[in-house]
Amino acid sequence: MAGADSVEKLEDVIVRSAEQVAGQMRAAKEAISTVIFGQEKVVENTLVTILSGGHALLIGVPGLAKTKLVETLGVTLGLDAKRIQFTPDLMPSDILGAEVLDESVAGKRSFRFIAGPVFAQLLMADEINRASPRTQSALLQAMQEQHITVAGARHDLPKPFHVLATQNPLEQEGTYPLPEAQLDRFLMEIDVDYPDRDAERRILFETTGADETIAKAAITSDVLITAQRLVRRLPVGDSVVEAILTLVRSARPGPDAGDASKLIAWGPGPRASQSLMLAVRAKALLDGRLAPSIDDVLDLAEPILKHRMALTFSARAEGRTIPDVIRQLKSRIS
């Protein structure tokens, strides 16, 4: 009986914590909406990514408030935010930092590490595909390992650490496409589309007047870390787990894909399943629910899968697209 009581008390603690955290995250979402207009889905998916402890790739044309979103997230979530404008001549040391030779008053010389802009809790990698592969690989270790190595010495990054990278889908001349291994490190690929007419009307009035709305802090980084730990403790039903497995495995070439097998050249690995498992929990918590549903799986399938798969030449020749194929796969479990 004592064991049953302790389990019941643990569940009560999780429920109370979830309700409190959900309220705090909703307050953060509302604070962001006072500055960013017409991008509700983008804001929600970005918050889900951060709650899941992951990184996001924001794809959109210039002028859609991607930079403003990251700046606002930093203030609202109480995170130390920094920005790197990626260019072809950017070197790894420009983002990681470097060791310099110092000389003391007594004449003693020693090396001192000067931290680069990667030492931030929220890092905006602006136009990441403009950087050379060497610089991209330097950021890759930081994203995956949460630390960097300079001159053989390990330097841990602050916690939490999130990268929100942007990419312009129009200009591809002179860019270095991200390799598949680095794309897989991004939990989501989030498309930033044009706002609707009403949202754009509000943008005109809110951003061109004498007074500008300034983002306000809604939570602290410690609250965010607590929320990220809570996400991993939320229960997931068997039907949701089976939906995740069915969807991810059907996105790979082979018998699980069924009719779509001939369309898929290569598909997502187990990291996609892990990302989807965390993301549906985070979305449930953000919505004030204590457990995710199959609808969450279907809702998050496209941003989590589309940068982790490629179509065959014949599929592309027929005019098929990855979102189109993902919708076909989703119809099997809806």
Side-chain angles (χ1 to χ4, degrees), residues 262-265 310-319:
K262 62 180 183 296
L263 305 174
I264 303 170
L311 302 184
T312 60
F313 175 79
S314 59
R316 286 182 277 118
E318 293 172 7

Side-chain angles (χ1 to χ4, degrees), residues 225-296:
I225 291 173
T226 300
Q228 290 173 341
R229 290 173 180 161
L230 183 61
V231 164
R232 291 177 173 267
R233 299 179 68 181
L234 291 184
V236 182
D238 290 340
S239 60
V240 175
V241 174
E242 291 303 317
I244 291 172
L245 288 171
T246 299
L247 186 60
V248 175
R249 293 182 66 84
S250 66
R252 304 167 186 163
D256 288 335
D259 295 338
S261 181
K262 62 180 183 296
L263 305 174
I264 303 170
W266 56 268
R271 188 181 278 119
S273 304
Q274 295 170 324
S275 298
L276 196 49
M277 187 80 158
L278 286 170
V280 296
R281 286 166 161 168
K283 188 177 187 307
L285 185 63
L286 193 61
D287 291 344
R289 292 178 281 115
L290 298 178
S293 66
I294 293 179
D295 288 338
D296 295 326

